[in-house]
Amino acid sequence: MKDLINKLYRNHSIIYKGLLFIGTIFLIVYLFPKSGKFKYNFEKGKPWQSENLYAPFNFAVKKTDEEINKEKQSITDNAVLYFNIDSSVETKVANAFQTQFKNIFTDSIAEFDLDNLFNTGNKIIKELYQFGILNEDYKFSESKLVVILDDRVEKNKTLFSNLIKQDKVVAVIDKELSNQNLLKYKTSFVSLFFDLVEPNLSFDKSTTDKVLQEEFNKIVYARGSIEKETLIISKGEVIEGDKYQILKSLQSEYESQVWNQLNYNWILFAYTLLVALALLMLLLFLRKYRPDVFENNTKVTFIFFNILLMVFITTLVVNYNSKYIYVVPICILPLVFKAFFDARLGLFAHVITVLLLGFIVPNSYEYMFLQIIAGIVTILTVSELYKRANLFISVGQITLIYIIAYFAFFVIHEGTVETIKWETFIWFVLCGLATLFVQPLIYIYEKLFGLVSDVSLLELSDTNSKLLKELSNKSPGTFHHSLNVANLAEASANEIGANAMLIRVGALYHDIGKMKNPTYFTENQSTGINPHDELSSKESAKIIIDHVIDGIEIARKNNLPDRVIDFIRTHHGTSLVYYFYKKEKEQQKEVDKLNFSYPGPKPFSKETAILMMCDSVEAASKSLKEPTSTKIDAFVENIINKQIEEGQFLNANITFKEIQSIKKVLKHKLANIYHLRIEYPE
């Protein structure tokens, strides 16, 4: 049992990756749409490239969206409007008219006119309430059929134009008075009816909508059927008109039928295999070409998390409305990976993610083509993410590529630009704006996963930062040395294509441990007093060696990233504090080298190896007396060759050719620092 536990502990990293691999596969497959995939790809207006296609089963030919929308519009145009009537209003108004009429029209009016006026008033009431008076000014077509309901029972049918709007009451009064030659009483009549008339019709929206929906439900979405074994399309035949609609119907029917039958488990298994293959390719890529990333479980988790996040967001958008699919900023993925790793890994992971998304999105070929091209443009254009102008320019280029590619695809499919959906271009612009969110996202990822981007490195390289200010105050000589090393290391990194920003930051902080005992290091001894004179060689060596440990402690206390701390740990490798070792050896025959050796580890990357070379060369260059080009060349060669002989670079992925290039840079830089001139003959 103990052996099993030890074995599991030794292989915990691989076990974790396996669990992460399986978990990611499960989640991605779970997010996939629950449908099969039609095995044929086809496009409208293009020839059928596969063999002759026969109907595999009976299926209905669906109407096009245009046909269905046309039917719905026709039903909407001819839909009946329902109004509720309050029958008591007419009686109430008639009774009120009889009462008020006697008060307004006195006996001084001729009896004939009085009777005529009274009868005309009753006639006006009957005309106003024949169908009813509307309570609002509804904007319906005059030719719309109206059903009037009294307590939910149909009472009358008419056209909407026959219903009286409140602003038409005066016109009805005017018409009736004119017919009876009683216009001289118009003012009194209008005043009377203004107080009496009440609306009695209100629009019944719920009933109208319910009846309309019932009519929609009667729509037949199929316009025929295809029998099994019927030839649908022949090889080379152009896909257009009915042929295209039949193929679309078969595709829809096939996908729903396949998933709902007994093949469910097989399709699920097939999806799992494809997703596993895609993610396995990513893991194999990391293991072969990015072993440092593969060995770091946090970084592998970060990569898988981002891929899963993109699949999740895309699934949400597709389930909501697939027309918004291009709003999802997929190009954030290569930007993030390039910021934390490199362009090659960013592009590879982006392609894998787009291939997975092909199972989710409609028009998968078009989508994958657009996203892969956009990803390539992202990788090629964004060179320095920490420069805001570069990001804005790149986002503009990405958006332009989206628009051009979509326009080309649309013309290929439709053969015209007249029906192009211009709103899609707005989605691309929104996608570009969403891509700008990469800056705060990188900051969030740095805090969550403990990673370091160029943006953070730029902030750390500021010599006005708290820690570097403290270094310059406590150890001015060390600070000046660190600046010189940073310049040498940055130039060397640029020469061989290493991460210049990272190595500059590493160089600025590599000696911060000297702040603990600054006067024990020669560059800070301004008074001419050397405290080592009062110590034994072993004690002096310990103080010198401890600046590495002290530096790590200070760095962790100030929350410096691990990638920067690596430079502090490795900048002396396992080398000897040679001066005190030699001094001790002069006094004793047997000397333990471990007491005079740095704890290591040795440099394990190009950047840490470069820093070790530059640090040693810059520090030792202070001892050169009357430097010449010849002396500097020999001096650089001796120091770096000695480090090679000691095996300090065995763990770093740096070649002899690159070391030669670094030597050349250091020689040139030192020559400039010491202002060497050509030696003229005497």
Side-chain angles (χ1 to χ4, degrees):
M1 185 67 182
K2 188 177 179 180
D3 291 340
L4 178 62
I5 294 172
N6 290 335
K7 191 174 182 180
L8 289 174
Y9 179 76
R10 285 196 303 272
N11 297 296
H12 74 279
S13 181
I14 294 296
I15 294 170
Y16 173 81
K17 289 183 183 71
L19 293 173
L20 178 67
F21 178 69
I22 294 168
T24 307
I25 292 170
F26 172 78
L27 290 171
I28 290 176
V29 173
Y30 176 77
L31 292 171
F32 275 179
K34 303 300 183 286
S35 64
K37 276 286 180 181
F38 192 48
K39 64 179 179 179
Y40 299 103
N41 290 317
F42 59 91
E43 294 179 22
K44 190 176 181 180
K46 285 196 169 185
W48 179 256
Q49 299 293 339
S50 305
E51 69 278 2
N52 293 352
L53 179 62
Y54 295 87
F57 42 73
N58 298 337
F59 67 93
V61 179
K62 295 183 177 180
K63 294 177 182 176
T64 63
D65 291 340
E66 186 180 346
E67 289 173 326
I68 293 169
N69 290 335
K70 193 174 180 180
E71 282 190 43
K72 285 186 176 181
Q73 188 60 49
S74 176
I75 291 171
T76 304
D77 292 342
N78 297 314
V80 177
L81 302 175
Y82 287 83
F83 283 83
N84 292 316
I85 189 169
D86 185 352
S87 300
S88 65
V89 172
E90 183 179 356
T91 305
K92 178 183 173 184
V93 171
N95 292 335
F97 172 72
Q98 290 181 9
T99 304
Q100 294 296 326
F101 182 82
K102 294 175 182 178
N103 296 332
I104 293 176
F105 298 99
T106 61
D107 295 339
S108 60
I109 300 174
E111 188 175 344
F112 175 79
D113 284 351
L114 195 64
D115 290 340
N116 205 1
L117 276 172
F118 184 76
N119 293 333
T120 301
N122 285 322
K123 192 174 181 182
I124 289 171
I125 291 172
K126 282 189 176 295
E127 185 171 346
L128 288 174
Y129 289 101
Q130 180 183 0
F131 297 108
I133 300 174
L134 296 167
N135 63 340
E136 291 181 28
D137 186 15
Y138 297 103
K139 304 295 182 183
F140 295 119
S141 170
E142 296 291 315
S143 60
K144 277 275 192 181
L145 182 63
V146 171
V147 172
I148 297 172
L149 302 174
D150 187 0
D151 196 17
R152 306 193 68 78
V153 177
E154 184 178 325
K155 179 180 180 181
N156 212 341
K157 276 186 181 180
T158 186
L159 296 178
F160 182 72
S161 58
N162 291 328
L163 305 183
I164 305 296
K165 297 178 181 178
Q166 293 185 46
D167 59 354
K168 300 295 183 185
V169 172
V170 174
V172 174
I173 295 171
D174 192 47
K175 175 187 168 186
E176 289 300 324
L177 291 176
S178 178
N179 290 340
Q180 301 298 325
N181 295 318
L182 297 170
L183 283 174
K184 58 184 177 179
Y185 300 106
K186 178 181 176 181
T187 304
S188 300
F189 240 59
V190 169
S191 176
L192 172 62
F193 276 93
F194 182 81
D195 294 330
L196 296 179
V197 170
E198 293 181 22
N200 65 336
L201 289 178
S202 59
F203 179 54
D204 190 342
K205 188 175 187 305
S206 62
T207 303
T208 303
D209 291 345
K210 183 181 177 182
V211 173
L212 181 62
Q213 189 58 48
E214 287 174 357
E215 292 298 316
F216 283 162
N217 293 339
K218 293 177 184 177
I219 294 175
V220 178
Y221 287 85
R223 54 179 173 87
S225 63
I226 301 294
E227 297 293 324
K228 185 178 180 180
E229 300 299 331
T230 303
L231 177 64
I232 295 175
I233 194 166
S234 304
K235 185 173 182 178
E237 192 175 348
V238 176
I239 304 167
E240 55 187 0
D242 288 343
K243 294 287 183 184
Y244 177 74
Q245 193 56 33
I246 291 170
L247 285 170
K248 291 292 288 183
S249 301
L250 175 60
Q251 182 183 31
S252 175
E253 191 72 22
Y254 180 88
E255 291 177 352
S256 60
Q257 278 196 16
V258 168
W259 192 261
N260 292 324
Q261 292 173 358
L262 296 175
N263 296 335
Y264 177 92
N265 291 331
W266 279 109
I267 293 175
L268 198 65
F269 175 69
Y271 267 144
T272 304
L273 280 180
L274 291 175
V275 174
L277 278 174
L279 295 180
L280 182 62
M281 293 305 105
L282 180 58
L283 281 176
L284 291 176
F285 172 85
L286 294 176
R287 186 179 180 186
K288 184 172 179 63
Y289 297 106
R290 300 293 181 271
D292 55 325
V293 176
F294 181 80
E295 293 300 327
N296 190 317
N297 284 340
T298 302
K299 291 179 179 178
V300 176
T301 304
F302 173 74
I303 293 169
F304 276 61
F305 170 78
N306 276 276
I307 293 173
L308 182 61
L309 181 64
M310 283 301 166
V311 174
F312 174 69
I313 294 173
T314 306
T315 304
L316 286 181
V317 172
V318 170
N319 290 339
Y320 175 71
N321 193 332
S322 60
K323 76 175 185 178
Y324 299 125
I325 189 66
Y326 288 111
V327 178
V328 181
I330 301 295
C331 286
I332 278 183
L333 201 64
L335 280 174
V336 168
F337 287 158
K338 187 177 180 182
F340 290 116
F341 306 113
D342 59 83
R344 192 176 177 186
L345 173 56
L347 182 59
F348 193 90
H350 175 73
V351 171
I352 292 292
T353 307
V354 172
L355 291 175
L356 292 174
L357 294 177
F359 292 110
I360 300 171
V361 299
N363 299 322
S364 55
Y365 174 76
E366 175 185 324
Y367 178 85
M368 289 191 292
F369 183 90
L370 257 67
Q371 297 296 2
I372 290 173
I373 290 295
I376 293 171
V377 172
T378 303
I379 292 295
L380 293 177
T381 56
V382 181
S383 54
E384 294 170 318
L385 193 59
Y386 55 85
K387 293 184 178 178
R388 288 170 297 180
N390 284 3
L391 181 60
F392 277 98
I393 292 168
S394 296
V395 166
Q397 292 171 331
I398 293 164
T399 305
L400 182 63
I401 290 296
Y402 271 132
I403 291 172
I404 292 171
Y406 173 78
F407 176 81
F409 267 111
F410 187 88
V411 172
I412 290 170
H413 291 163
E414 303 295 330
T416 179
V417 295
E418 293 178 2
T419 57
I420 195 166
K421 297 176 181 177
W422 297 104
E423 64 176 16
T424 308
F425 295 149
I426 297 174
W427 309 145
F428 292 135
V429 173
L430 291 176
C431 176
L433 294 174
T435 306
L436 295 173
F437 183 68
V438 70
Q439 287 282 20
L441 187 64
I442 286 172
Y443 177 78
I444 293 167
Y445 280 152
E446 285 178 337
K447 300 304 177 187
L448 286 177
F449 292 92
L451 300 172
V452 184
S453 69
D454 285 350
V455 179
S456 292
L457 292 176
L458 185 66
E459 292 173 358
L460 289 170
S461 67
D462 182 8
T463 53
N464 288 314
S465 64
K466 181 183 175 183
L467 191 54
L468 291 180
K469 273 284 185 184
E470 187 180 353
L471 177 65
S472 66
N473 291 331
K474 289 184 177 179
S475 310
T478 300
F479 178 70
H480 184 258
H481 158 73
S482 297
L483 285 176
N484 289 338
V485 173
N487 292 331
L488 292 174
E490 186 176 15
S492 301
N494 286 326
E495 183 68 21
I496 66 168
N499 190 332
M501 179 68 75
L502 175 63
I503 198 170
R504 179 172 184 83
V505 174
L508 288 172
Y509 290 92
H510 78 283
D511 269 345
I512 55 174
K514 292 182 179 180
M515 286 193 291
K516 194 166 184 180
N517 296 298
T519 57
Y520 285 87
F521 300 90
T522 55
E523 66 265 26
N524 299 312
Q525 294 171 1
S526 56
T527 59
I529 299 171
N530 189 347
H532 287 289
D533 294 340
E534 299 175 4
L535 300 175
S536 67
S537 299
K538 192 180 290 186
E539 289 172 330
S540 295
K542 187 178 186 309
I543 291 173
I544 299 297
I545 291 168
D546 281 351
H547 88 272
V548 172
I549 308 299
D550 295 336
I552 294 170
E553 289 177 359
I554 293 170
R556 294 202 184 284
K557 187 178 178 182
N558 286 271
N559 298 316
L560 289 185
D562 287 339
R563 288 179 77 186
V564 176
I565 294 174
D566 287 341
F567 288 94
I568 301 173
R569 293 165 55 216
T570 61
H571 73 278
H572 284 295
T574 56
S575 61
L576 281 171
V577 183
Y578 192 73
Y579 176 82
F580 292 110
Y581 171 72
K582 191 175 180 183
K583 188 176 178 183
E584 180 74 8
K585 207 168 183 181
E586 289 173 356
Q587 298 172 2
Q588 298 182 23
K589 291 184 179 180
E590 296 293 331
V591 179
D592 187 357
K593 273 191 175 183
L594 289 175
N595 293 327
F596 295 88
S597 299
Y598 285 96
K602 295 176 181 178
F604 47 79
S605 66
K606 284 182 184 179
E607 288 77 16
T608 50
I610 291 170
L611 179 64
M612 185 183 210
M613 295 181 218
C614 295
D615 181 45
S616 301
V617 167
E618 203 285 330
S621 68
K622 298 293 188 290
S623 63
L624 278 175
K625 295 177 181 178
E626 298 181 2
T628 63
S629 295
T630 307
K631 281 185 179 180
I632 287 174
D633 290 355
F635 164 78
V636 171
E637 289 286 344
N638 288 337
I639 289 178
I640 296 178
N641 287 343
K642 186 179 179 184
Q643 291 173 337
I644 294 172
E645 288 169 10
E646 291 175 355
Q648 297 296 337
F649 307 134
L650 289 177
N651 297 333
N653 58 336
I654 192 166
T655 64
F656 282 113
K657 183 178 180 181
E658 288 170 336
I659 291 173
Q660 286 302 118
S661 299
I662 293 166
K663 287 179 181 178
K664 184 179 176 182
V665 171
L666 293 176
K667 292 170 186 176
H668 177 70
K669 287 287 181 181
L670 287 176
N672 286 337
I673 289 170
Y674 290 108
H675 305 288
L676 297 181
R677 298 177 181 273
I678 299 170
E679 294 182 15
Y680 292 97
E682 294 181 2

